[in-house]
Amino acid sequence: MLSQSFFPQATTGHFRAIKAPLPNDDSNVVHHTGAVENSNDPQPDLSPQREAICGFFLTLVKQSSPDIVLSEFKNLFIHFFVVQTEPQKAFYKIITSGNEEEFKNTLKRTIYIILNNWIFRRDYKPAQALIELLGNAPVNCCTKSPNLNHLSTWIDNFIKTQDYQEIKLFVAKYDYQQKEHWKNNYTSYLLTSQYANSQNSLEQRQAAKVLSQQLQDKFKLDLAMYTAHSHPDAAQSQRTQNPTFLGDEALELIKKVVSKRSFFSYANLANIFIQQTHKLHYKYFKQSLIKYLFFSVSNQGLVNNLKTKLTEKLETIYQEYDEEVLNKPLLLKTCNRTIEWLTIPRNGEPSSLFIALASQGNPLTLAIILLKLILICPPTRTHLQICMANLIRYYEDYSQEECHWVIKFLEITKIILTIFTENVQYNLVSMEERNLNTSVQEQDECRIFSQQLERKKKYP
């Protein structure tokens, strides 16, 4: 029986109730918050001016064309000359106050208000033009006007900040004038850090979440179209561009994982695990988790070493709750920690487990284990995407050739998550009516068909 091989028997007896809250150290669930205010703002009276400017652009972007919005933005933030309208009067007060932090907050929030609306409408070209306005703004100007000198210096300071780099992510995928960096293929992951950070403004988080989801949906559609039109009989005009860096290996990977579906599919296995650990005490849940993660995983030589190391880590995590019944917050935190051990810890370097698996030709094994974690705790997908973003940032200075093994892991994981967690079902159909599990050669003669299902609940 599956339950006998998966899960240890808990000892009988009474267990104490949880007396202390779980450590609040890592929950990456998106929290709904408003715009972040600077608690140390020396001039709180400037908030009405900020709200006046942001309110003006919120109304403008909903009612006017992108050209008008860009013109108003340029006239106010880039070439500020006259003081006539209410937004201009508000901006003038901010400039003359000498409060650079208030200027930065107003500028950033205005940008995200505009981007949020354009990205929701999939209007990417004006979004790119908006970013270019800032990047091409005159800086370090010496004029007779101290206010214009302030403005020039502040813009120059702003485009050197991480805030500006985060804004550039919103157009990186669509900036075709520059040679695309390999990391731009994973913009959806990089945006996750923005919408998962409760310290960012509501406008920034909304814009990041909408664009991240749009990019994931686009990849899902592109992958389905690519697999549908990549069979040998398809006309050249019908074939769709491969959305991955894997070449023909992408088709081989999909055929390989789809052909292994059975009663013990990853989804069914996850459901069984959830049911059988529902009221298990935490100590025994951790033991069960190891068995679940490595159930039916190939390459036992490598797996045994990985299994031993993960067991050692799980045995020591949150030991104060070993005798408590598993609950959702504890499940989330445990899955988040496990994902970090398998990828990259917070504010750290790639883990030894990640390097061992990904660099030694076993990225599929790692991707499947990560998939299993998400299937038993879907909200942890946000944390996985944050870890993927941290890996990308760690290796972004390397060329595509230098970190090809990292890119391969990212591509395989993206494909695996798309196949098994999205609302598209992939099926492998033999054109010769043969058994799909017989040989690789016969799988080569099969075609991949995809079918859109009723949309599942999205995570995050």
Side-chain angles (χ1 to χ4, degrees):
M1 293 293 292
L2 185 61
S3 60
Q4 293 176 343
S5 61
F6 250 5
F7 313 115
Q9 298 295 319
T11 57
T12 59
H14 298 286
F15 292 83
R16 60 185 175 88
I18 294 180
K19 297 180 180 179
L22 292 175
N24 185 20
D25 62 346
D26 74 314
S27 182
N28 286 292
V29 179
V30 177
H31 302 290
H32 188 79
T33 67
V36 177
E37 302 291 345
N38 186 350
S39 60
N40 296 320
D41 191 343
Q43 297 184 9
D45 60 310
L46 292 176
S47 60
Q49 282 68 43
R50 180 176 66 250
E51 294 302 321
I53 294 171
C54 292
F56 168 75
F57 278 99
L58 178 60
T59 301
L60 187 69
V61 75
K62 291 179 180 295
Q63 298 178 353
S64 303
S65 68
D67 286 342
I68 293 177
V69 175
L70 288 169
S71 178
E72 291 289 345
F73 181 89
K74 182 177 181 180
N75 289 337
L76 187 65
F77 287 101
I78 308 299
H79 300 304
F80 179 66
F81 293 115
V82 296
V83 182
Q84 296 177 344
T85 66
E86 290 303 317
Q88 289 170 340
K89 292 177 182 178
F91 191 67
Y92 178 77
K93 191 167 185 178
I94 292 175
I95 293 293
T96 55
S97 72
N99 191 335
E100 183 176 359
E101 187 66 20
E102 187 61 48
F103 164 80
K104 186 187 76 171
N105 291 338
T106 304
L107 173 63
K108 190 168 81 163
R109 188 175 168 196
T110 300
I111 290 172
Y112 281 115
I113 286 173
I114 297 172
L115 290 178
N116 204 8
N117 284 271
W118 284 346
I119 289 170
F120 182 79
R121 301 197 299 257
R122 301 179 187 273
D123 223 346
Y124 302 118
K125 286 187 177 180
Q128 182 174 330
L130 178 66
I131 308 306
E132 290 176 352
L133 272 179
L134 281 175
N136 297 327
V139 296
N140 298 323
C141 297
C142 293
T143 70
K144 295 181 179 180
S145 169
N147 294 332
L148 289 180
N149 291 338
H150 278 151
L151 181 59
S152 172
T153 301
W154 290 353
I155 291 177
D156 185 35
N157 292 341
F158 180 75
I159 62 179
K160 295 175 181 177
T161 64
Q162 181 62 32
D163 289 326
Y164 181 64
Q165 296 305 314
E166 290 179 351
I167 290 171
K168 288 174 66 177
L169 274 178
F170 287 83
V171 298
K173 186 68 177 177
Y174 303 96
D175 189 357
Y176 300 112
Q177 296 179 354
Q178 300 181 11
K179 184 178 180 181
E180 186 173 355
H181 190 283
W182 63 263
K183 73 175 181 180
N184 292 344
N185 212 39
Y186 313 104
T187 301
S188 62
Y189 294 152
L190 297 171
L191 289 168
T192 303
S193 298
Q194 293 190 39
Y195 74 69
N197 185 355
S198 60
Q199 298 302 308
N200 288 332
S201 70
L202 176 61
E203 292 85 2
Q204 179 178 358
R205 294 170 61 211
Q206 286 179 334
K209 188 169 186 178
V210 169
L211 181 56
S212 178
Q213 190 59 61
Q214 286 179 3
L215 292 174
Q216 291 181 53
D217 289 342
K218 184 179 186 303
F219 177 78
K220 176 178 65 177
L221 176 61
D222 290 347
L223 186 66
M225 295 297 293
Y226 169 68
T227 55
H229 297 116
S230 295
H231 55 88
D233 296 334
Q236 191 67 33
S237 59
Q238 293 180 321
R239 298 195 176 186
T240 307
Q241 184 177 359
N242 188 343
T244 77
F245 284 139
L246 296 181
D248 292 339
E249 188 179 348
L251 293 174
E252 298 171 5
L253 171 67
I254 295 173
K255 288 181 180 182
K256 180 178 181 179
V257 296
V258 171
S259 67
K260 291 185 177 181
R261 281 180 172 163
S262 64
F263 173 75
F264 291 118
S265 67
Y266 298 121
N268 287 338
L269 207 61
N271 288 332
I272 293 172
F273 177 79
I274 291 170
Q275 293 172 9
Q276 295 189 355
T277 58
H278 178 58
K279 295 184 178 181
L280 206 62
H281 293 91
Y282 186 56
K283 176 180 179 179
Y284 302 106
F285 165 78
K286 291 188 289 185
Q287 297 173 16
S288 303
L289 180 62
I290 288 293
K291 293 189 177 184
Y292 161 71
L293 292 178
F294 293 98
F295 181 78
S296 73
V297 174
S298 57
N299 196 345
Q300 288 302 311
L302 177 69
V303 164
N304 287 336
N305 182 40
L306 175 60
K307 188 175 180 180
T308 299
K309 291 183 177 180
L310 269 186
T311 300
E312 293 173 353
K313 291 181 177 294
L314 281 171
E315 284 178 348
T316 59
I317 190 174
Y318 303 138
Q319 287 181 308
E320 63 272 29
Y321 301 101
D322 276 353
E323 295 183 346
E324 315 298 348
V325 175
L326 179 71
N327 55 44
K328 289 183 179 180
L330 191 53
L331 172 64
L332 175 62
K333 291 176 181 297
T334 303
C335 290
N336 284 351
R337 291 287 77 72
T338 305
I339 286 174
E340 289 179 3
W341 296 330
L342 293 170
T343 55
I344 183 170
R346 289 171 297 175
N347 303 319
E349 298 181 352
S351 70
S352 59
L353 294 178
F354 168 75
I355 294 174
L357 282 168
S359 66
Q360 295 178 18
N362 296 282
L364 179 57
T365 298
L366 178 54
I368 293 299
I369 292 175
L370 293 170
L371 168 68
K372 287 182 174 182
L373 287 167
I374 289 177
L375 290 175
I376 63 171
C377 186
T380 204
R381 182 170 184 168
T382 301
H383 194 62
L384 173 59
Q385 293 181 178
I386 291 173
C387 289
M388 302 276 263
N390 290 339
L391 284 171
I392 294 166
R393 292 190 184 97
Y394 185 86
Y395 289 105
E396 67 180 341
D397 292 334
Y398 293 83
S399 68
Q400 186 170 333
E401 292 74 22
E402 289 174 315
C403 59
H404 65 91
W405 57 277
V406 178
I407 295 173
K408 186 172 184 178
F409 159 74
L410 294 170
E411 290 293 330
I412 289 177
T413 303
K414 187 160 67 167
I415 291 174
I416 292 297
L417 294 181
T418 300
I419 292 176
F420 293 105
T421 65
E422 298 290 350
N423 62 325
V424 176
Q425 179 174 314
Y426 286 79
N427 297 291
L428 196 59
V429 178
S430 173
M431 307 310 294
E432 302 293 335
E433 298 185 356
R434 294 174 178 172
N435 186 344
L436 298 182
N437 294 316
T438 54
S439 69
V440 174
Q441 288 75 16
E442 291 180 4
Q443 286 183 23
D444 291 339
E445 299 173 1
C446 299
R447 288 170 57 179
I448 303 171
F449 287 86
S450 57
Q451 177 184 9
Q452 186 167 355
L453 305 175
E454 182 179 351
R455 180 170 287 276
K456 300 177 182 179
K457 182 178 180 181
K458 300 297 295 183
Y459 293 95

